[in-house]
Amino acid sequence: MMVLNRRSLENLKKLVPGRGRNVTKEEQMRVFVRIKPLPEEEDLLKPKTIRIRNDNALIFDPKQDETPFFFHGVKQNPRDISKRQHKSIKYDFHRVFGPQSSNEDIYNESTKDLLDKLLCGYNCSVFVYGATGAGKTFTMLGNEMNYGITYLTMKDLYEKVNEQQNSKKFEIYVSYLEVYNEMVYDLLVSDKKPLFLRECGNTTSVAGITIKMVNNVDELIEMLRKGNDNRTQHPTDANAESSRSHALFQVYIQMTFKHTDQVKMAKLSMVDLAGSERASSNKGMRFKEGSNINKSLLALGNCINNLSDGLRHIPYRDSKLTRLLKDSLGGNCKTLMISCVSPALSSYEDTHNTLKYASRAMKIKSNLKENVMSINHPPSHYTKLISGLEDENQLLKKKYEEVIKAKAPIPPDNLEDLKSTLESLFTGKIKKHNEILRLESTQKKTELRIFLKKNLIERFSSFNVKNLDEMTSELNRINQAIQQFQGRMASLNAQLNILWDEAIASNNELNLFIKKLEENNVKQFLDVDIVRLNSEVIIEEQATLLEHRNEIGMILDSNLHISHELITMLAEKSNEYYTLLDALKKSTEDMKKNHNNITKSFLGGLKAVSWDFSPGNQCKIKRDAYFNLNELSIENLRTCTKPEFSKPIKLEECMSPLQIVEDKLEQITLQPESNKMDTSPDSNSDETVVISAQAESLNNTFVLKQNLDLTSVKRSATTTTPHRSKPPIDTRCLTKSITKPTIQRKRLVLNNHKTGLTNKKVNQENMPLIMAATRTLADPILTKAVTKTRNNSNNILTAKSVNTRITSQDTCNKTINVKNQKPTLTMRQRNWL
Ligand SMILES: Nc1ncnc2c1ncn2[C@@H]1O[C@H](COP(=O)(O)OP(=O)(O)OP(=O)(O)O)[C@@H](O)[C@H]1O
């Protein structure tokens, strides 16, 4: 037995019909009525709703007097139970079969003729219609004693096929399906799965239906038996073996004429409909089945009505049944309908309805066409045909691809699981990023605090401290704080290192997961989630950055506030000293000028500060330091590149405050008179102080800074004795406008005959002496009459009659501020450091 694809059969049907052979004939639907026998008692005692008038007519609901009946030879009084007017409706049919008619009688007078038509290449259909229990299945299938018309038809078909074997080659295929609860099932397979219907021109095909080739009648009967076994049957009120589905048994015959190579194809459909039923006591599943049966039979009734009225619109699409019977009812098909009725009074309504529909079906006409294909064509015909088919094939392929592309992709079953995995991976990423940024923020704040502490020491070292011991504990406290911060920096770096490794690992895991989603074509379903989660990462990062900047801003703001207070205090004192000097007639012209500049600068405020970020400018360094504090490694997190962790300030750059102060003094060395290289006009004087003002002073914006220094001693360009090299103290300032007077002393040469210190390093012993000398030098009050001569070229101020002489080799931008001890300035302690 061979199983063929239905599509190949359909394709065969599409072949060009033979020229002039497909003549269309209009045919009336042939309708037969079969009256079911009643049980003997009922048959004799009860009146019946049908009286057969002749072979082609019957009377429905005949008058009682016209139907006397006898029981045991005694005429019975007619009993009109319903006491109603009898309808006595006459119906004409192609044939009326009485209760005594056997299945064979029916076959011989109805279906047998169809076989000849079928073997001539016409499609034929037989369907049985009627109420439940009216005898449809009995007619169609029968039993072992009384074979149904399907069996008889098949038997005869093979007999005829065998008769014609010499002239024709036959191929016979069968399919068997049922429509149950508006679903189509294949009855030739035991695994029942619903099948889909496909419209193809005027015919409806069933996708995936089994079509089996049969070689003899036994195989065919076996197919039928197998299908019947699979059919849905349940007992109902009206029928103990009620068929709850519509069954469609189809036989496809392909006949090839051996002499002419002509091919004819025909299809025979045997349809056993489920019976219509009244809303009875059936409940649950039976009730649902009944509703669906009635629904499809109603649709069939509507189609019959429209077809009989000659209407153009036939509502075939209203049910699966009518879609399947489309070409059997009104198309290219010789159709035969056997209406089964019961004459029992209890079936009065059902019988009447069946007869009405059967009568209407009589009016249905179909257009019969021979399905003939000729293969006697010239070769050019086939070339054309093949090229046409190839074109069509290409077109269909293209359309198919378009449909596939346009077809909405189907989300995977485990989409929710994938979504939750994605969420948890992103949550991990957000957590790690947050931890890194917060730690980095702490690191930056610590760095800033170290810087500010250092700044504090520098600021302190600007002062001329009488007794270093007094400040030692304070300085040590600051030193300890710096060391603590440095320790914290080292630990933060270690933690950051670990966190970064974890973040990179978790990011790799996430990327791998997304890549797999992409490979499995699932990413498209999670794209929206990925965008949302990425936004959440960015939002979290930006929130942490904002918080960090706020904190840095607060620290800087406090520092600014303190600096402001300090400047204000210094200005007050400067003013106080100047006023005192002026009153004592000790003020010089230069002092007066400086005082005026200070006052002006105070009024000018920030406007007086020019921000020069050109390369090489110190301000650039300040700006970098400032902006760097405000940044976190967000960009690195995005690209997943581990940054170099902020290098903690080296210990040597954070020397103890005491060390710094000492170091500054240490830089001052004594030099023999002979080594001096002063070229000033007063170079003959043995006690000369070369005081140089900062070159940038008056013209640039550091007026404030410079003038706040009570005395600025500029190192002379001509004094070049090099001293041990030591990196300059970092003079980074947070904001230029509040830059404190900076002290940068390098390689100073101090000549002092009176002190007797020559070329000596400052140490613990000689430091008080050096300090005193420095103070004397720096304090204009204490210095002897200072005379100034301005050197036009390098802006050097020379002081005469001073015992001490200080020269510097660097004239660029390094200044020495030596402050007067009096009055002592006090700085407010702040907790924020
Ligand atoms: N012409 C007949 N001669 C003898 N018995 C009959 C005849 N018609 C029907 N019967 C019997 O009546 C009963 C019901 O018949 P059948 O099952 O064929 O009805 P049906 O119309 O197919 O009902 P359903 O639509 O519920 O399947 C069966 O037991 C069957 O044997």
Side-chain angles (χ1 to χ4, degrees):
M1 200 178 300
M2 196 173 109
V3 180
L4 266 210
N5 188 327
R6 171 80 181 260
R7 191 178 291 273
S8 64
L9 275 171
E10 293 296 332
N11 283 341
L12 272 172
K13 286 183 201 170
K14 281 187 198 167
L15 288 175
V16 181
R19 279 166 290 180
R21 299 297 308 277
N22 56 333
V23 185
T24 305
K25 275 200 276 178
E26 200 176 68
E27 278 251 348
Q28 193 186 9
M29 185 187 277
R30 291 175 68 74
V31 181
F32 300 82
V33 172
R34 184 179 195 184
I35 302 161
K36 180 190 166 183
L38 290 174
E40 199 179 344
E41 328 77 68
E42 201 176 331
D43 188 33
L44 294 172
L45 293 172
K46 293 182 182 175
K48 289 173 270 300
T49 56
I50 295 174
R51 182 162 57 88
I52 300 171
R53 203 166 171 206
N54 57 44
D55 279 357
N56 306 103
L58 59 81
I59 307 284
F60 173 71
D61 193 13
K63 287 203 172 81
Q64 288 298 313
D65 53 348
E66 288 177 22
T67 56
F69 63 95
F70 297 85
F71 186 60
H72 292 294
V74 182
K75 188 183 175 188
Q76 301 295 308
N77 284 329
R79 289 184 298 161
D80 187 353
I81 296 164
S82 57
K83 301 269 188 248
R84 56 177 164 63
Q85 177 107 34
H86 293 281
K87 288 192 172 98
S88 287
I89 306 166
K90 181 177 169 256
Y91 286 103
D92 292 314
F93 297 103
H94 288 104
R95 185 75 167 86
V96 177
F97 296 101
Q100 295 80 25
S101 300
S102 65
N103 281 340
E104 200 154 354
D105 294 337
I106 291 166
Y107 167 71
N108 285 331
E109 289 192 52
S110 61
T111 329
K112 195 171 186 175
D113 288 349
L114 279 186
L115 282 177
D116 292 331
K117 285 277 173 197
L118 188 76
L119 293 174
C120 283
Y122 293 100
N123 290 342
C124 299
S125 304
V126 180
F127 62 94
V128 285
Y129 181 85
T132 183
K136 297 181 297 297
T137 309
F138 181 82
T139 305
M140 217 42 151
L141 302 175
N143 51 43
E144 283 177 5
M145 309 290 294
N146 202 345
Y147 288 118
I149 58 169
T150 309
Y151 174 82
L152 295 171
T153 312
M154 294 304 116
K155 199 168 137 281
D156 252 15
L157 173 69
Y158 265 92
E159 273 176 22
K160 283 186 187 286
V161 163
N162 287 334
E163 280 170 18
Q164 298 179 18
Q165 285 285 5
N166 290 336
S167 57
K168 294 173 198 163
K169 187 186 161 216
F170 288 91
E171 285 175 38
I172 299 175
Y173 309 89
V174 293
S175 71
Y176 200 4
L177 60 84
E178 71 171 350
V179 182
Y180 173 64
N181 273 344
E182 277 302 280
M183 305 285 251
V184 179
Y185 297 97
D186 190 345
L187 289 175
L188 293 185
V189 292
S190 43
D191 178 25
K192 274 192 173 183
K193 273 188 224 154
L195 303 173
F196 295 96
L197 297 187
R198 283 202 190 126
E199 305 292 333
C200 182
N202 270 335
T203 56
T204 305
S205 58
V206 184
I209 187 82
T210 311
I211 297 178
K212 290 192 175 178
M213 190 183 191
V214 284
N215 298 307
N216 52 56
V217 69
D218 294 335
E219 274 182 18
L220 199 139
I221 301 297
E222 177 56 25
M223 292 286 108
L224 192 60
R225 193 198 56 74
K226 192 179 169 190
N228 290 336
D229 287 349
N230 287 333
R231 198 172 165 194
T232 312
Q233 279 189 329
H234 295 292
T236 61
D237 295 349
N239 185 359
E241 286 182 5
S242 181
S243 309
R244 309 305 290 163
S245 65
H246 310 292
L248 177 57
F249 181 70
Q250 289 184 305
V251 182
Y252 307 88
I253 305 165
Q254 183 176 310
M255 297 157 277
T256 310
F257 289 77
K258 290 183 177 170
H259 303 299
T260 60
D261 279 347
Q262 191 187 51
V263 178
K264 284 186 180 179
M265 293 199 68
K267 179 175 74 173
L268 170 67
S269 306
M270 307 288 286
V271 191
D272 178 12
L273 297 170
S276 59
E277 58 185 64
R278 281 152 285 163
S280 60
S281 53
N282 288 336
K283 289 196 175 72
M285 202 56 201
R286 298 292 82 75
F287 181 78
K288 192 186 167 195
E289 283 168 358
S291 307
N292 277 319
I293 291 167
N294 284 346
K295 191 182 147 199
S296 55
L297 287 175
L298 180 69
L300 178 65
N302 289 337
C303 288
I304 290 173
N305 280 339
N306 284 16
L307 281 165
S308 63
D309 290 346
L311 297 178
R312 286 191 67 183
H313 172 70
I314 314 297
Y316 291 118
R317 294 196 64 83
D318 284 2
S319 76
K320 295 248 169 81
L321 175 71
T322 46
R323 283 173 73 188
L324 281 167
L325 295 182
K326 190 175 168 185
D327 63 348
S328 299
L329 281 172
N332 172 25
C333 191
K334 186 168 177 60
T335 309
L336 196 149
M337 178 168 139
I338 302 171
S339 300
C340 297
V341 288
S342 165
L345 264 178
S346 54
S347 306
Y348 182 92
E349 283 300 327
D350 290 335
T351 303
H352 193 198
N353 280 333
T354 306
L355 290 174
K356 274 195 283 186
Y357 275 116
S359 179
R360 284 198 145 247
M362 292 270 288
K363 295 181 194 164
I364 296 175
K365 291 196 172 70
S366 53
N367 294 311
L368 274 187
K369 249 192 284 179
E370 253 185 298
N371 298 312
V372 185
M373 293 174 293
S374 174
I375 54 171
N376 282 332
H377 292 292
S380 61
H381 168 79
Y382 294 106
T383 320
K384 208 173 158 188
L385 188 70
I386 290 166
S387 117
L389 286 172
E390 275 175 354
D391 288 349
E392 192 187 351
N393 193 28
Q394 286 302 324
L395 194 80
L396 290 172
K397 260 188 189 171
K398 211 173 157 190
K399 274 191 180 168
Y400 176 74
E401 277 164 16
E402 279 169 13
V403 168
I404 291 291
K405 264 187 203 164
K407 204 176 159 193
I410 303 156
D413 294 341
N414 62 341
L415 187 65
E416 284 308 310
D417 294 345
L418 294 173
K419 208 180 263 187
S420 78
T421 310
L422 188 76
E423 293 258 1
S424 76
L425 285 171
F426 262 103
T427 310
K429 179 176 175 167
I430 291 172
K431 193 171 164 241
K432 277 283 160 281
H433 283 205
N434 217 15
E435 279 173 8
I436 287 176
L437 294 178
R438 287 196 178 282
L439 220 60
E440 208 184 341
S441 169
T442 314
Q443 194 191 41
K444 293 262 158 129
K445 284 180 282 184
T446 311
E447 198 178 344
L448 177 59
R449 282 171 180 150
I450 292 174
F451 170 74
L452 292 175
K453 285 274 180 208
K454 211 171 138 250
N455 220 2
L456 195 68
I457 293 163
E458 272 189 39
R459 193 183 289 164
F460 171 76
S461 64
S462 306
F463 288 93
N464 192 2
V465 185
K466 245 184 190 174
N467 184 1
L468 262 180
D469 294 339
E470 275 178 27
M471 302 307 291
T472 303
S473 68
E474 186 60 23
L475 290 170
N476 280 340
R477 194 186 60 79
I478 295 169
N479 196 38
Q480 267 173 14
I482 289 173
Q483 278 175 353
Q484 253 180 21
F485 286 143
Q486 280 184 305
R488 195 187 293 175
M489 281 293 281
S491 125
L492 287 172
N493 274 353
Q495 285 179 54
L496 266 175
N497 201 22
I498 295 165
L499 274 178
W500 261 98
D501 288 343
E502 288 172 359
I504 289 169
S506 93
N507 209 52
N508 286 345
E509 197 185 346
L510 174 64
N511 288 344
L512 200 73
F513 182 72
I514 292 173
K515 202 177 159 197
K516 273 190 182 162
L517 291 178
E518 208 161 7
E519 282 167 3
N520 294 323
N521 287 329
V522 186
K523 185 172 166 280
Q524 53 193 311
F525 301 104
L526 293 163
D527 270 344
V528 176
D529 296 271
I530 292 170
V531 170
R532 172 179 59 82
L533 291 164
N534 268 325
S535 316
E536 277 177 28
V537 174
I538 293 168
I539 289 167
E540 283 289 329
E541 284 172 354
Q542 291 301 319
T544 312
L545 180 66
L546 188 69
E547 205 177 307
H548 166 73
R549 284 180 176 168
N550 276 344
E551 285 169 3
I552 290 283
M554 274 162 64
I555 296 172
L556 293 176
D557 191 51
S558 302
N559 192 50
L560 177 66
H561 186 72
I562 287 194
S563 299
H564 172 75
E565 282 187 359
L566 192 62
I567 290 166
T568 311
M569 203 168 16
L570 288 170
E572 276 172 14
K573 293 302 160 195
S574 163
N575 192 45
E576 201 178 309
Y577 293 153
Y578 176 76
T579 314
L580 180 65
L581 282 171
D582 208 34
L584 293 170
K585 304 262 188 263
K586 295 282 184 189
S587 63
T588 63
E589 274 309 305
D590 195 44
M591 288 166 77
K592 196 178 268 178
K593 212 171 180 179
N594 281 343
H595 181 73
N596 284 341
N597 280 337
I598 289 170
T599 317
K600 269 186 202 166
S601 296
F602 265 75
L603 284 173
L606 286 172
K607 276 186 201 164
V609 178
S610 93
W611 295 84
D612 181 2
F613 293 141
S614 57
N617 192 305
Q618 273 189 331
C619 298
K620 177 86 169 68
I621 302 160
K622 289 170 193 172
R623 188 191 65 158
D624 283 350
Y626 175 75
F627 283 116
N628 201 25
L629 283 172
N630 274 292
E631 292 307 324
L632 295 175
S633 307
I634 287 177
E635 200 49 46
N636 289 69
L637 284 171
R638 195 129 310 138
T639 55
C640 213
T641 36
K642 198 171 172 178
E644 277 189 27
F645 301 121
S646 177
K647 211 174 77 181
I649 295 167
K650 282 181 190 163
L651 201 62
E652 54 268 31
E653 287 175 11
C654 293
M655 291 176 294
S656 86
L658 194 61
Q659 243 177 319
I660 290 170
V661 176
E662 285 177 359
D663 188 63
K664 288 189 177 197
L665 295 172
E666 207 176 87
Q667 290 166 14
I668 303 167
T669 56
L670 298 177
Q671 204 168 334
E673 189 72 17
S674 56
N675 284 351
K676 72 183 180 193
M677 295 176 72
D678 191 302
T679 53
S680 71
D682 307 304
S683 58
N684 289 336
S685 166
D686 28 327
E687 292 170 347
T688 306
V689 175
V690 178
I691 304 168
S692 57
Q694 197 168 354
E696 61 193 327
S697 63
L698 295 176
N699 296 327
N700 71 19
T701 55
F702 289 93
V703 173
L704 172 64
K705 178 181 104 176
Q706 189 199 8
N707 290 334
L708 277 173
D709 299 339
L710 291 178
T711 310
S712 292
V713 181
K714 184 155 187 174
R715 285 141 288 178
S716 164
T718 53
T719 315
T720 55
T721 308
H723 194 54
R724 69 185 173 100
S725 71
K726 178 162 177 61
I729 291 162
D730 188 0
T731 56
R732 282 178 299 167
C733 290
L734 296 176
T735 60
K736 199 166 180 180
S737 62
I738 58 159
T739 302
K740 71 177 181 56
T742 310
I743 301 170
Q744 292 281 327
R745 272 188 291 184
K746 280 182 98 178
R747 298 183 180 83
L748 295 174
V749 181
L750 174 68
N751 296 328
N752 190 333
H753 296 293
K754 287 195 174 177
T755 55
L757 298 169
T758 308
N759 275 344
K760 272 193 178 176
K761 272 192 173 182
V762 176
N763 54 31
Q764 207 64 29
E765 285 169 16
N766 63 21
M767 194 171 60
L769 187 61
I770 301 295
M771 293 284 285
T774 315
R775 248 192 322 271
T776 307
L777 169 77
D779 194 338
I781 302 171
L782 300 176
T783 45
K784 292 179 183 173
V786 177
T787 54
K788 303 167 293 167
T789 32
R790 185 174 294 275
N791 180 323
N792 289 331
S793 62
N794 58 9
N795 225 8
I796 291 173
L797 296 175
T798 310
K800 273 188 177 180
S801 312
V802 177
N803 293 332
T804 314
R805 174 180 172 152
I806 297 175
T807 55
S808 166
Q809 64 181 16
D810 186 358
T811 58
C812 296
N813 53 10
K814 306 283 193 261
T815 59
I816 297 174
N817 288 341
V818 185
K819 293 219 174 200
N820 196 337
Q821 281 288 102
K822 302 182 285 182
T824 311
L825 301 173
T826 52
M827 279 180 65
R828 284 185 198 172
Q829 292 291 325
R830 288 268 169 179
N831 289 332
W832 54 269
L833 279 177

